Amino acid sequence: MKIDKVFEYDISNELAANIQELLNASFPEIYPKNRIYFKQLPHFRFLAFNRENQLIGQVGLDYRVMNLNGKPLRILGVIDLCVSQNTRSQGVASTLLIEIDKFSVGRNIDFILLFADNRTLYLRNGYKLVKNQCKWLKIDNETQITNGIGFEAIDELMIKEVGKIDWSEGDLDFLGYLY
């Protein structure tokens, strides 16, 4: 397996078509059919390829400041991690998460953050479930129009500490959209 880091603005039309196919197969009921992002473009992606150079997994990453209880934190957000149906349970997703860990070492990143319906993979890879009251910019994924500000505790919120700051309960302002 080969892992490439690709900046969003460097994705060719052919690669975009392959990413679109993977995303639609992985999230068939909800993913837009006409683009390779759900609400907003990630900054970059890690892409996993098999020996035949076929795309078998992908994860988008978004780097931004968020505010936790009045303190700014540097967050690397994990977006749309997915693996092709025929290569699941072969360690591809864990390999992508390890690649994110390696990328984060020595960088100005306090936490890796994600949302997970199924937490098993992430718990195995060192993530923990956190409880915070979240605030975010609500974007309609179909019309791509801002619909206001959301306030809610989100049960799927998980983090991994990669810096020297401790996470705490309380108010988390995303200072942007929800992944």
Side-chain angles (χ1 to χ4, degrees):
M1 177 178 7
K2 176 181 80 159
I3 306 288
D4 288 344
K5 180 176 86 174
V6 180
F7 291 99
E8 199 65 19
Y9 44 77
D10 289 332
I11 294 175
S12 68
N13 289 338
E14 179 183 351
L15 183 54
N18 292 333
I19 294 169
Q20 181 73 61
E21 184 179 336
L22 176 61
L23 289 165
N24 288 142
S26 299
F27 309 108
E29 302 299 318
I30 61 167
Y31 220 85
K33 306 291 184 225
N34 61 344
R35 59 182 192 260
I36 60 172
Y37 61 94
F38 193 68
K39 293 181 184 175
Q40 187 58 269
L41 291 169
H43 291 109
F44 64 98
R45 298 171 194 255
F46 284 121
L47 304 175
F49 296 90
N50 65 13
R51 289 186 182 127
E52 291 77 34
N53 207 34
Q54 297 166 320
L55 182 66
I56 58 170
Q58 81 93 50
V59 61
L61 294 151
D62 179 87
Y63 181 62
R64 75 165 91 147
V65 170
M66 293 183 187
N67 184 307
L68 180 61
N69 297 318
K71 295 180 183 176
L73 300 175
R74 297 177 195 283
I75 304 289
L76 186 63
V78 174
I79 307 168
D80 299 334
L81 173 65
C82 59
V83 174
S84 64
Q85 186 73 32
N86 60 344
T87 56
R88 290 185 185 158
S89 299
Q90 296 178 23
V92 177
S94 287
T95 300
L96 287 166
L97 290 173
I98 290 166
E99 197 67 30
I100 295 167
D101 289 349
K102 289 191 299 189
F103 173 82
S104 300
V105 172
R107 287 198 159 88
N108 201 4
I109 299 169
D110 299 313
F111 299 93
I112 303 170
L113 181 144
L114 57 84
F115 295 96
D117 295 330
N118 184 343
R119 301 175 188 126
T120 306
L121 167 72
Y122 303 104
L123 291 169
R124 270 197 330 256
N125 282 278
Y127 289 80
K128 68 180 183 180
L129 196 60
V130 292
K131 297 282 184 190
N132 293 86
Q133 184 67 28
C134 298
K135 178 180 177 182
W136 71 93
L137 179 66
K138 291 172 72 174
I139 297 174
D140 183 296
N141 67 292
E142 291 178 10
T143 62
Q144 294 192 280
I145 295 174
T146 302
N147 284 336
I149 306 295
F151 299 94
E152 185 179 336
I154 302 172
D155 293 334
E156 297 86 10
L157 182 61
M158 299 185 82
I159 58 107
K160 185 172 194 177
E161 297 175 0
V162 293
K164 296 180 169 119
I165 299 172
D166 292 326
W167 191 269
S168 60
E169 291 185 3
D171 297 327
L172 177 62
D173 189 335
F174 275 69
L175 300 176
Y177 78 104
L178 199 65
Y179 306 129

